[in-house]
Amino acid sequence: MSRLRSSDNSSSRARRPGWNIRFDLEPVRRALATSSAVTLLNWLARKRPVTMLRRLADGDGPVTHEVLDQLGRSGPVRHLRQVLIAHKVLPDRDRNLDYLERWFDVKLSEIGDVDERRALRGFLTWTHIRRLRVADSPVSPYSAASIRNEVTSAIKLLDWLRARRRDLHTCTQADVDEWCLQGGSMPHRARGFVVWCVERGYMNGVVLAPRPAAGSRVVFDDQDMRWRIVRRLLHDDTLATADRVAGLLVLLYGQMVSRIVQLTVDDISESEGHVMLRLGKYPVIVPRPLDQLLLELVDTRKGKASLGHTDEHRWLFPGGLPGAALHPLAVSARLAKLGVPGRIGRNTALMENAATMPAAVLSDLLGLSVSGAVQWTIRAGGRGNTYAADVACCYAPDSPGRKTNGD
């Protein structure tokens, strides 16, 4: 770890006897030293990690989130931050929210008009940032991408108005209607910004309607195809257990990949001989052989990180950064290679479940919002509360049961 040594011999910096390294950098050294020698040496052979470590060595005090912020947003900085979080050198931090706020700052700096910049900053702060900062769970990659799309559409609207010698104050309903004629979902993503501007007097009396909802959801034309894929995932032990479980959660329980990667070993429990999986408010009894695949995944899950690798985490699907969950796009790509169509598979599963469950039960068991569950029940023409008695067997017993551990 000589790369962490500083060339400054100032006596004001405390160092370990016999080492030319600051005491404050010792936790960083220990965290990086958990890597294999080959991995660490290969990383230190690159220019950007060495430059980053040299800047840390030339500094004063401990390495904090604020110190890393000053080093920029490069890949080595992001990876080092996650290594230090995983090894308890730094407190946890919502990295998707952090990246989103930094992205906001860049986008705002590109807006020259003071009024437009003030309006967009107010919209971002009061509609998104304040809500995300107090949320109980971290920002998911999909949520961050959705917000970026919304902001990007708002900026395009501002540019579009400016090209027509208009601004927020002079924008008319005819302008908004013409903006929507571009088609697709992009113009309608600016709706939240337009509504916010009207409520606060930046725009006057204009309405941007929501994008018309699709009349139906695309599902499998051939139901046998879905069940063929399910049978393969259940019984083909040449496939990775993580891929089998993820695919089955999509095809049987209608789970979004962004939700699947947030599952932890604490969402799986055993009670009265049953394996329980919590997807919503209440856990469900998992049938065989999926129950055995879940238990196998708990026992065999391994993170993909080489630098700063650790298995001291609770993620059911650990990813490529130490102590972090797998990225949803990585899961989607792996399922696509197995022939698991994510959206169609999820739609079909939800449609079938909604046809037999009342909306409240669908929401409680599968983690859907109440309004979303109602919409699925309407589309499926569900049988309503006639299913309520039968579905009781899907709930967990009153006893909390024995939790499985991830050790």
Side-chain angles (χ1 to χ4, degrees):
M1 293 300 297
S2 60
R3 302 280 187 181
L4 292 179
R5 299 173 187 174
S6 171
S7 60
D8 190 339
N9 293 320
S10 171
S11 59
S12 64
R13 298 179 184 172
R15 303 179 189 277
R16 293 180 59 185
W19 289 74
N20 188 27
I21 182 172
R22 292 192 289 117
F23 271 116
D24 292 325
L25 294 182
E26 178 61 18
V28 179
R29 185 196 69 79
R30 288 199 304 268
L32 291 174
T34 60
S35 313
S36 69
V38 173
T39 296
L40 185 55
L41 289 173
N42 286 337
W43 190 67
L44 291 174
R46 301 172 187 170
K47 181 178 179 180
R48 291 200 298 174
V50 171
T51 301
M52 173 188 64
L53 295 175
R54 184 175 291 121
R55 290 181 62 183
L56 291 176
D58 288 339
D60 289 299
V63 175
T64 64
H65 282 299
E66 291 69 28
V67 169
L68 293 180
D69 289 342
Q70 297 173 6
L71 299 180
R73 302 178 60 193
S74 68
V77 174
R78 293 198 298 270
H79 205 124
L80 178 62
R81 188 194 303 273
Q82 191 58 40
V83 168
L84 299 182
I85 290 174
H87 290 276
K88 313 300 182 186
V89 177
L90 292 180
D92 199 3
R93 188 176 189 179
D94 189 338
R95 70 177 187 277
N96 288 316
L97 176 58
D98 180 48
Y99 298 162
L100 195 59
E101 289 185 301
R102 290 172 177 270
W103 182 84
F104 285 164
D105 290 340
V106 172
K107 289 300 180 182
L108 288 171
S109 68
E110 296 173 355
I111 298 176
D113 185 89
V114 175
D115 286 339
E116 291 179 356
R117 188 166 61 247
R118 183 184 298 113
L120 189 56
R121 182 182 296 278
F123 168 71
L124 295 174
T125 300
W126 296 104
T127 303
H128 292 302
I129 296 298
R130 189 178 68 161
R131 170 179 58 84
L132 295 175
R133 284 176 177 169
V134 299
D136 293 333
S137 57
V139 179
S140 72
Y142 279 174
S143 295
S146 176
I147 295 171
R148 286 196 299 271
N149 287 337
E150 186 178 350
V151 173
T152 298
S153 180
I155 293 174
K156 287 183 177 179
L157 172 60
L158 294 173
D159 293 341
W160 186 86
L161 289 172
R162 195 179 308 109
R164 285 156 179 74
R165 300 181 183 278
R166 298 279 192 182
D167 57 26
L168 291 174
H169 296 288
T170 60
C171 176
T172 66
Q173 186 62 49
D175 294 324
V176 172
D177 293 341
E178 185 178 352
W179 160 256
C180 291
L181 290 176
Q182 297 177 84
S185 59
M186 187 279 295
H188 294 278
R189 288 173 180 157
R191 181 174 183 271
F193 176 64
V194 171
V195 170
W196 189 89
C197 286
V198 171
E199 290 176 347
R200 284 154 182 81
Y202 287 100
M203 303 179 79
N204 301 306
V206 298
V207 176
L208 201 166
R211 186 184 184 189
S216 62
R217 299 279 185 174
V218 179
V219 297
F220 276 104
D221 292 329
D222 179 7
Q223 284 296 319
D224 288 340
M225 173 65 73
R226 173 179 172 234
W227 289 112
R228 282 196 295 271
I229 299 174
V230 167
R231 285 192 292 271
R232 181 190 175 205
L233 295 176
L234 284 172
H235 303 294
D236 188 348
D237 57 11
T238 66
L239 304 177
T241 303
D243 294 344
R244 296 167 70 185
V245 171
L248 290 167
L249 292 180
V250 171
L251 294 171
L252 297 179
Y253 296 96
Q255 294 298 293
M256 296 180 64
V257 171
S258 58
R259 169 71 181 101
I260 291 172
V261 298
Q262 293 300 310
L263 292 173
T264 71
V265 295
D266 301 310
D267 293 311
I268 301 173
S269 60
E270 290 184 80
S271 179
E272 300 181 5
H274 297 292
V275 174
M276 319 298 300
L277 173 63
R278 185 182 295 275
L279 299 171
K281 185 177 180 181
Y282 302 106
V284 296
I285 297 175
V286 180
R288 292 182 181 274
L290 177 54
D291 60 344
Q292 300 306 306
L293 290 176
L294 280 170
L295 295 179
E296 180 182 336
L297 183 57
V298 169
D299 292 336
T300 61
R301 63 202 170 88
K302 292 288 184 182
K304 307 298 185 294
S306 297
L307 185 70
H309 179 87
T310 178
D311 288 320
E312 296 297 320
H313 57 77
R314 309 298 288 174
W315 299 116
L316 195 60
F317 296 88
L321 289 174
L326 194 60
H327 195 286
L329 292 179
V331 177
S332 297
R334 286 159 58 169
L335 293 182
K337 289 182 180 179
L338 294 178
V340 179
R343 178 170 296 182
I344 294 178
R346 178 175 183 266
N347 288 349
T348 306
L350 288 176
M351 195 73 77
E352 289 200 1
N353 282 297
T356 56
M357 297 184 194
V361 175
L362 193 69
S363 173
D364 286 345
L365 294 184
L366 302 187
L368 299 177
S369 66
V370 174
S371 60
V374 169
Q375 290 301 315
W376 277 108
T377 303
I378 292 173
R379 288 191 180 97
R383 297 200 300 265
N385 291 327
T386 60
Y387 186 74
D390 296 333
V391 82
C393 65
C394 294
Y395 284 92
D398 292 335
S399 170
R402 178 180 67 84
K403 288 285 185 179
T404 58
N405 60 52
D407 298 332

